[in-house]
Amino acid sequence: MKVLYRMVRRALCKLLLCVVILMPVVAMAQATGKITGTVKDKKTQESIIGAAVIVEGTSLGNVTDTIGNFTITNIPTKSYNIKVQALGYDDYMLFNVVISSGNAQIINVELDNQSGKTLGEVVVRRNPFSKNAETPLSLQTLSAQEIKSNPGGNFDVSRVIQAFPGVGGTAGSVGGFRNDLIIRGGAPNENVYYLDGIEVPVINHFATQGSAGGPTGIINTNFIEEVNLYTSAFSAKYDNPLSGVLDLKQRRANPDKVQHNIRLSATELAYSTDGPIVKDKLTFMASARRSYLQLLFQALQLPIQPSYWDFQYKIDYKINKKLSFYTLGMGAIDNFTFLTPDDLTAENVYILQSNPLIKQWSYTNGYGLKGLAKNGFWNLTFSRNMLNNQLDKYLDNQNPSEASRTLKVKSTEAENKVRFNMSKSYDKWSYSYGAMTQYVKFNNDLYSLIRTEVRDSNGVVVQPAVSVAGQTGIDFWKYGVYGQVAGKLLDNRLNVSLGLRGDGNTFTNDGANPLNTLSPRLAASYNISENLKFNASAGRYFKIPTYTILGFKDAAGNFANKEARYTQSDHLVGGFEYMPGWQGARFTLEGFYKVYNYYPVSVRDSISLANKGGDFNVLGNEAITTTGEGKSYGVEFQFQQKLTKNFFAILAVTVFNSEFTNANGKFVPASWDNGQLISFIGGYKFKRNWELGVKFRYQGGSPYTPYDLATSQANYLALGTGVLDYTRFNTLRLAAFNAMDIRIDKKWNFKKWTFDLYLDVSNAYASIQPSTPSFTFKRTEDNKAFATTDGQPLRADASNAIPVQLSDNSGTVIPAIGFIMEF
């Protein structure tokens, strides 16, 4: 295998050398690109006529026409900052816009009404970082280019935003195995996701049902224009967030011609295309992606065989000047199987026995109408999303039979949603209101072996079998209403926002009355000086329990959790924002305090479900009580520099504490209580379209629970895993983790197409990644059977087994080469 690896590495090096030598010969002529886009009023969404769009550092520019459109051509290929100016509006700067000869850059700009150059005696500088009155803090924004060029990000939105303050990953996934979002100490299922105003519950392949994370994302970053991550101060229009809102905005399609994008990486092949169907009226975007990681794993004799497809599309139709329609969709098909390797080591046997077979598919399909109104605009959306999840696990996953089954999950979740939002503004005040309703349908066919029957040498049962089985189905309605108002006071020094929301449902016993979930929120921003601002917010937020919890039935066939309450989280956040004298930079310092009430606690395990959801099983499917409490508090520091003089950077430091109560009512460290998070992303753009990116991350050690050794030994053959000792819940802690990723890009621009070759090295200095131990039995020297204490075959009760705990504290450098071709 090492010989094969060296041969492949040499071949790749030779290929790279040939490309580097030959490409400049082909691309000697000066290539140019173009920018096209629109400029609108942020508050009314009306087109702005006569806005100036300037390519900084050049004499190139243009003004918008009568419908707010513009085009700038013959731009030399490199990265630029784009400045937009219009009479009566604040200037706007787009940073790090990459011009290439292959695809046109499509940008959409929304300008804010000019707030006045002078605020009393305070002269306020224009803030280049996206903020609004509803969320003056706890908001991070990424452009499409910042996502695409992120080292180690693998073009995955979720992995990229883990570099933001307060955002971490699950234990054992810091090095990139999973992309669960742990925001300010909250669980992975406390976040919601939106794409162009349509809620998208599943954004990952092999998603954990009842939670959100998975090993890789579904969303095509080639279509993304902007990503906004809210970690508090949520707008009242969002329902169900407790820790975060990830709001993604897609760009427009090329209105002039059809263009294409092909990306080949170490793990997948992706194709995207967009363009006009009817000029100035109807455009489309579409993409498909296929993984081939299973082929690489098969060649390397690794036991796991994951494969996936995903698809995405959007169609925009401009009905008239005041009304537009769009439809979008995204879906995924996932399959997780096993290969029996030639060498059945203890590590390989554990992988084969502990993981389920997975067949999963999901989709979201949405339709939207957007209309202009006097002093504002409205949105009406209809959408449907569905998840089909099938998990199967056997005593021997390579030779499955019903008699040896230990897990069966055959589940579907479907939601049909209608949302209406109205936004209006008058002078210094703006307000919005809206409503939503959802029809939910959930079905589940479940069998799970919790404990196997264990007998002693005399045949006496010393541990009875414990299992959960049954079929369930629920359908009900969810609904909610909200209102929000914001204004400017004290000669525009002070921005304030007040919002109120209420939600209800027709399933839980106390869920019908939205007054039970009234969630007020208040945010304020005060300009202390030209460069310094103080921001604060307070709010109450609610989340309905997952459908796997609501649909669970007890042994008598009754719904066990109809008494469940909405989980409540109260946030208090305050901090400062400082903009120094140089362009595109800011410092922020924020403190946060979150208090949880009515958190689900497992009746079976007596632990809070706030500590679950970071694996490939299902969150829920058990009886719970909503008696849990929690608290998370900390301080975040961030320095961000947008592209200036070919350099950009983000430095984030977070110190926090996260605790939740279990059934005994005592606060204990949460499974996500890392304590410290440090991240740095920086990049430099050299001449001749070379670019270097570096990402460093540090994450404190996560708590974990040790095994009950006797129970684990008795149950391992049936369960394939050890059994945790919840009487010692989270009493141990992993070591801290740090790593660096490096990415080098070289782009060649030809007359009508572009070739981008990149090398992405994850964990560049082979840092050791701590992981939680895995309980298994020792193998014989030839790896053909389990070793035993007496040299005899392994007994059925495993009493002669030799237990071992495997710790994969490996430090592996993962280089990946790929290319992107635009034409």
Side-chain angles (χ1 to χ4, degrees), residues 78-350:
K78 57 177 287 189
S79 296
Y80 298 92
N81 293 337
I82 308 299
K83 188 174 185 178
V84 184
Q85 297 175 306
L87 185 63
Y89 293 89
D90 289 330
D91 294 350
Y92 188 89
M93 184 73 76
L94 281 163
F95 293 88
N96 199 8
V97 177
V98 179
I99 303 300
S100 69
S101 59
N103 288 172
Q105 269 288 354
I106 316 298
I107 62 176
N108 301 291
V109 177
E110 295 181 352
L111 298 182
D112 230 342
N113 292 95
Q114 195 170 49
S115 55
K117 298 288 185 182
T118 304
L119 309 184
E121 296 181 354
V122 179
V123 180
V124 177
R125 301 178 61 236
R126 179 183 54 84
N127 191 339
F129 299 93
S130 178
K131 291 290 180 69
N132 52 50
E134 292 86 355
T135 311
L137 75 174
S138 301
L139 169 60
Q140 308 293 336
T141 300
L142 275 178
S143 68
Q145 186 57 32
E146 288 170 319
I147 297 170
K148 293 176 183 177
S149 61
N150 186 274
N154 196 30
F155 305 93
D156 193 323
V157 173
S158 297
R159 297 193 187 192
V160 175
I161 65 176
Q162 287 183 4
F164 279 151
V167 184
T170 47
S173 71
V174 184
F177 181 55
R178 283 178 63 93
N179 55 12
D180 305 274
L181 296 180
I182 308 301
I183 298 178
R184 290 180 170 176
N189 70 331
E190 295 181 13
N191 312 311
V192 295
Y193 310 93
Y194 285 81
L195 182 66
D196 288 344
I198 303 293
E199 187 177 5
V200 184
V202 180
I203 66 167
N204 289 297
H205 290 283
F206 305 103
T208 301
Q209 188 175 10
S211 189
T216 189
I218 297 173
I219 295 172
N220 183 353
T221 57
N222 188 46
F223 292 160
I224 298 300
E225 180 176 75
E226 185 178 82
V227 174
N228 292 299
L229 175 67
Y230 303 84
T231 55
S232 191
F234 309 127
S235 170
K237 68 180 179 181
Y238 299 116
D239 60 293
N240 259 4
L242 295 180
S243 284
V245 176
L246 186 62
D247 197 339
L248 302 106
K249 181 181 178 182
Q250 295 187 102
R251 63 172 174 83
R252 287 198 317 155
N254 190 328
D256 301 318
K257 71 167 190 175
V258 176
Q259 59 186 22
H260 310 272
N261 179 293
I262 296 174
R263 186 180 81 242
L264 179 70
S265 72
T267 59
E268 62 195 23
L269 174 65
Y271 170 72
S272 306
T273 182
D274 65 279
I277 300 174
V278 178
K279 190 170 178 60
D280 298 328
K281 278 287 187 180
L282 187 64
T283 60
F284 80 96
M285 297 192 297
S287 71
R289 180 172 58 160
R290 174 73 163 107
S291 74
Y292 53 83
L293 192 63
Q294 71 278 11
L295 302 178
L296 177 62
F297 284 4
Q298 185 174 354
L300 296 176
Q301 284 285 296
L302 297 178
I304 58 174
Q305 298 287 290
S307 65
Y308 59 81
W309 284 88
D310 60 52
F311 312 90
Q312 193 169 327
Y313 82 90
K314 185 180 182 183
I315 295 175
D316 283 289
Y317 176 51
K318 188 175 182 179
I319 300 173
N320 55 49
K321 289 184 178 181
K322 293 186 176 292
L323 186 65
S324 60
F325 167 82
Y326 68 90
T327 176
L328 62 82
M330 55 181 287
I333 303 172
D334 305 328
N335 191 30
F336 188 94
T337 58
F338 298 101
L339 167 75
T340 303
D342 296 333
D343 192 11
L344 286 173
T345 64
E347 291 82 1
N348 285 338
V349 169
Y350 179 81

Side-chain angles (χ1 to χ4, degrees), residues 527-544:
N527 293 286
I528 299 173
S529 68
E530 175 186 359
N531 298 345
L532 185 62
K533 183 183 293 185
F534 176 73
N535 306 305
S537 70
R540 171 166 291 179
Y541 311 102
F542 286 94
K543 181 184 184 302
I544 192 171

